[in-house]
Amino acid sequence: MSQPLLSVQNLCIDFNTADKGVTAVKNISFTVAAGEMVAIVGESGSGKSVTALSVLKLLPTKTSVKGKLFFLSKGKDSLDLLEATDKVMTSIRGKDIAMIFQEPMSSLNPLLTCGYQMIEAIQLHEQISSVAAKKRAIDLFKKVNLPFPETIINRYPHQLSGGQKQRVMIAMAISCNPSLLIADEPTTALDVTVQKTILQLIKELQLQMGLGVIFITHDLSMVSEIADSVIVMYQGEIVEQGIASEVLQNPKHPYTKALMACRPSLHPKGERLPVVSDFLVPQNKNNEKPILLDTQSIGLYNSTPAEIVLQVENLTMHFFEKKSWFKKSVPTIKALDGINLTIKKGEIVGLVGESGCGKTTLVKAILQLIKPSSGKIILNGMNLPDLSKMAMRSIRKDLQIVFQDPYGSLNPRLTIGAAIEEPLKVHGIFKNQEQRKNRVLELLDKVKLQPEHFNRYPHEFSGGQRQRICIARALALNPSFLIFDESVSALDVSVQAQVLNLLNDLRLEFGFTAIFISHDLSVVRYISDRILVMEKGKIIEAGNSDDIWFSPQNEYTKKLISAIPGNLAIGKPSIE
């Protein structure tokens, strides 16, 4: 049997913090062969990204790393990366081992063109001219299927879409023909169709170039599409590993079953989604081995009242560009092209479509953050575009939004208690500080947070907890209408299940009406009563959520559903 490309042996990683040490990875071992794709799966904090960063020695200097990381470099003897000098690692990074990071906008320099960054990466490892490096960069852009590569080479990162930026990162990663490629959550928060093309691209490059690939993700359904073998990590340990198809078809460990079971696509609308704690509970204080816990589905009450809360009539939004000083402005982009929709009290209406379809523009128009070109937006009987700024300000307490990025939505200098209390102050709700604090504590309890969290700051919470805080803040004013804008897209599947369960509970208690925006039809179908599908500024299909999911009529809707990774590919594990 040939020697593996990468052999990880008894790897242990400890972070030495100011007050105590934290063990991130606990004695794990695995191998990656040339031409093999190994998926490492687990929730945030499971140790998967830390493991990948240790291969490139990119961990903080005070980190304690023990074990062996043997790498078979091109034309050289096997090398223990942990023993390699900084000079050796500099020569290996990018040339022999390359990495695609999760967020391409943070990985690309916003001040430099994509072409410059590509040429710089190539010339760092190979002694070739700028002309030859530019030609290779264009060829690589073609290889990753970027449109108009001769033009994109001169563009800056902000001028590209999320999928295009990720393709630039992939092109940069393979520019020096590495032996090992590490892809760390390369498709998180991308449209499902873009996500599918990125997955296919990575798989094609693996097969064409004979790459060994470590693919890191929190979604097991994605693994079913591309991986040869899978490693499941939980709290720094490998709890299950094997051939991907065998692990997915017959998972052994309760945690693996939990990751598979919490996907919304496997459950009927309204059924409470299983979470990791449903599968893993300590037997007792002296034995931390997980056992299975029986749960039961909880049906969601669904009503269809006739009262209309929001009505949008013939809404258009055109963006204009001046041709010259002597010609009038002409419409160049029809971001919204005659939108009509009606939402009844108590309904959650899902809005789906790829980036650029007009979802965000529609939301901005409803919130009156932009003025539409024409049409009506009638909320609780009032046409919002006709209202003055003063009148609109008083309406805003009935119209709230939960954004995609909870950390970016919260002021890092405010405690979460102050953040939730802020809208109560702005709108003059309650007479004094004590009443407002009691309201905040009540809201924290509603979203399953503790009173002691009141004085903590956003950075002290996980992503899922921060999203709960944003939901509590949105509910503080008892709004009649809520907008959830990709509010679960970047969360782990298990945390996503917790937030969706919370929304179902809060919907029953508060009876709010909402638009739920996402590019993932499986999530929208689970949480929504009706679904609206948008493409190129128009609503191309609308109907009951199960009808759209199981019997889509429009070809574009069928494409969105078929692009969901692992959709119908693997069964629903049971809690035994």
Side-chain angles (χ1 to χ4, degrees):
M1 185 176 178
S2 61
Q3 190 174 0
L5 182 66
L6 177 71
S7 178
V8 177
Q9 299 176 10
N10 306 116
L11 181 67
C12 298
I13 302 174
D14 295 291
F15 291 111
N16 301 315
T17 58
D19 51 349
K20 62 178 182 178
V22 177
T23 301
V25 175
K26 306 172 186 176
N27 197 36
I28 68 170
S29 300
F30 65 91
T31 61
V32 181
E36 180 187 21
M37 183 176 295
V38 177
I40 303 180
V41 184
E43 298 172 284
S44 297
S46 63
K48 55 189 190 300
S49 293
V50 174
T51 300
L53 291 172
S54 69
V55 174
L56 287 168
K57 295 187 75 171
L58 293 176
L59 294 171
T61 53
K62 292 184 178 181
T63 307
S64 172
V65 183
K66 298 177 181 177
K68 299 291 183 180
L69 291 174
F70 289 111
F71 175 66
L72 193 62
S73 186
K74 297 175 183 175
K76 301 177 183 177
D77 294 331
S78 181
L79 169 72
D80 185 357
L81 297 174
L82 294 183
E83 301 295 331
T85 63
D86 290 343
K87 183 177 180 180
V88 171
M89 288 306 302
T90 300
S91 67
I92 289 175
R93 295 187 194 113
K95 185 176 183 181
D96 296 316
I97 305 175
M99 189 164 186
I100 306 167
F101 292 95
Q102 180 172 350
E103 178 46 64
M105 196 63 206
S106 300
S107 305
L108 293 169
N109 190 327
L111 301 178
L112 301 176
T113 64
C114 297
Y116 182 92
Q117 295 179 67
M118 276 287 296
I119 292 168
E120 182 183 42
I122 294 169
Q123 289 188 308
L124 179 67
H125 293 288
E126 299 188 24
Q127 300 299 317
I128 60 175
S129 67
S130 297
V131 174
K134 182 178 180 180
K135 182 179 182 302
R136 183 186 292 185
I138 292 173
D139 290 340
L140 286 165
F141 282 173
K142 291 178 181 177
K143 192 168 189 173
V144 298
N145 299 320
L146 274 167
F148 311 110
E150 292 84 358
T151 303
I152 283 183
I153 201 168
N154 296 317
R155 289 185 181 174
Y156 291 87
H158 72 274
Q159 295 176 298
L160 306 182
S161 69
Q164 288 174 334
K165 285 194 285 280
Q166 198 60 283
R167 287 168 188 263
V168 170
M169 288 296 300
I170 294 171
M172 196 177 298
I174 65 171
S175 61
C176 294
N177 296 314
S179 302
L180 179 65
L181 177 66
I182 301 172
D184 187 4
E185 300 273 13
T187 61
T188 298
L190 294 179
D191 292 338
V192 286
T193 49
V194 177
Q195 176 178 275
K196 186 174 183 178
T197 58
I198 295 295
L199 292 176
Q200 290 174 338
L201 175 61
I202 293 173
K203 187 65 179 178
E204 288 170 4
L205 292 172
Q206 174 215 346
L207 297 175
Q208 290 173 7
M209 301 173 65
L211 289 172
V213 180
I214 297 176
F215 189 92
I216 299 170
T217 182
H218 59 256
D219 190 352
L220 265 172
S221 61
M222 197 176 294
V223 173
S224 67
E225 298 280 316
I226 59 171
D228 300 306
S229 58
V230 62
I231 295 168
V232 182
M233 292 191 68
Y234 177 63
Q235 295 184 349
E237 296 181 290
I238 293 177
V239 296
E240 187 165 2
Q241 62 181 316
I243 298 172
S245 58
E246 292 179 1
V247 172
L248 296 176
Q249 293 294 338
N250 188 27
K252 304 296 185 186
H253 196 276
Y255 182 68
T256 311
K257 295 180 180 182
L259 290 180
M260 293 173 62
C262 61
R263 293 179 298 132
S265 60
L266 298 177
H267 299 271
K269 176 178 163 47
E271 178 180 282
R272 182 166 292 277
L273 296 174
V275 295
V276 170
S277 60
D278 293 333
F279 289 77
L280 298 172
V281 293
Q283 286 180 319
N284 53 59
K285 292 182 180 179
N286 298 319
N287 184 0
E288 296 184 354
K289 295 274 184 182
I291 61 171
L292 293 176
L293 180 69
D294 289 331
T295 61
Q296 59 182 5
S297 300
I298 301 175
L300 177 67
Y301 171 71
N302 183 24
S303 60
T304 55
E307 181 183 344
I308 293 175
V309 174
L310 179 72
Q311 188 165 355
V312 175
E313 299 178 359
N314 298 317
L315 191 68
T316 63
M317 184 69 225
H318 296 171
F319 292 104
F320 296 86
E321 180 183 338
K322 290 184 178 180
K323 287 293 185 181
S324 70
W325 290 101
F326 309 102
K327 292 184 179 181
K328 294 181 179 180
S329 296
V330 294
T332 55
I333 299 175
K334 293 183 179 181
L336 299 176
D337 191 7
I339 297 292
N340 291 283
L341 63 90
T342 300
I343 301 178
K344 298 177 182 179
K345 184 177 180 180
E347 272 193 314
I348 294 183
V349 174
L351 188 63
V352 298
E354 297 173 284
S355 297
C357 69
K359 303 190 302 291
T360 301
T361 304
L362 177 58
V363 168
K364 287 182 177 180
I366 292 172
L367 293 170
Q368 290 299 283
L369 299 177
I370 58 174
K371 289 291 183 182
S373 303
S374 63
K376 295 181 179 181
I377 303 169
I378 303 169
L379 179 70
N380 294 324
M382 291 175 285
N383 186 28
L384 301 185
D386 292 341
L387 299 179
S388 65
K389 288 186 178 180
M390 187 64 70
M392 191 62 212
R393 181 174 179 176
S394 65
I395 296 295
R396 289 198 185 281
K397 65 178 180 293
D398 290 325
L399 188 61
Q400 295 290 309
I401 184 169
V402 180
F403 293 99
Q404 177 175 349
D405 178 12
Y407 194 72
S409 306
L410 296 168
N411 188 332
R413 296 186 177 184
L414 289 181
T415 64
I416 66 153
I420 299 172
E421 186 182 2
E422 187 177 38
L424 299 174
K425 286 183 177 180
V426 170
H427 290 277
I429 309 295
F430 299 115
K431 296 179 180 179
N432 55 52
Q433 173 75 20
E434 184 180 354
Q435 289 179 336
R436 287 193 292 268
K437 182 175 181 179
N438 288 336
R439 172 61 173 162
V440 173
L441 292 174
E442 179 188 341
L443 287 164
L444 288 177
D445 181 64
K446 298 292 185 188
V447 297
K448 308 295 190 295
L449 293 174
Q450 303 302 316
E452 55 265 29
H453 292 152
F454 185 93
N455 292 315
R456 294 185 187 176
Y457 290 88
H459 73 272
E460 298 179 84
F461 295 90
S462 68
Q465 287 175 321
R466 284 197 289 264
Q467 198 60 280
R468 291 171 186 232
I469 294 164
C470 291
I471 292 170
R473 192 173 191 267
L475 292 171
L477 299 171
N478 287 323
S480 61
F481 197 89
L482 280 167
I483 296 172
F484 297 94
D485 187 7
E486 300 277 12
S487 52
V488 297
S489 297
L491 300 178
D492 290 340
V493 286
S494 56
V495 178
Q496 181 186 86
Q498 294 173 17
V499 174
L500 291 174
N501 286 338
L502 174 65
L503 291 181
N504 276 336
D505 293 340
L506 294 174
R507 179 189 184 186
L508 286 174
E509 182 169 351
F510 289 89
F512 54 74
T513 307
I515 290 178
F516 192 95
I517 299 170
S518 179
H519 58 259
D520 189 343
L521 254 169
S522 65
V523 173
V524 173
R525 166 253 171 189
Y526 170 80
I527 198 71
S528 304
D529 300 302
R530 291 188 295 122
I531 294 177
L532 309 177
V533 184
M534 286 191 69
E535 183 188 24
K536 297 179 180 178
K538 296 182 178 181
I539 294 175
I540 59 168
E541 188 166 1
N544 176 277
S545 58
D546 280 343
D547 291 341
I548 296 290
W549 177 255
F550 292 109
S551 304
Q553 302 301 308
N554 190 279
E555 289 301 319
Y556 178 73
T557 311
K558 293 177 182 178
K559 185 179 80 168
L560 289 179
I561 294 174
S562 65
I564 298 172
N567 188 29
L568 304 179
I570 52 181
K572 173 181 174 181
S574 60
I575 305 175
E576 298 173 349

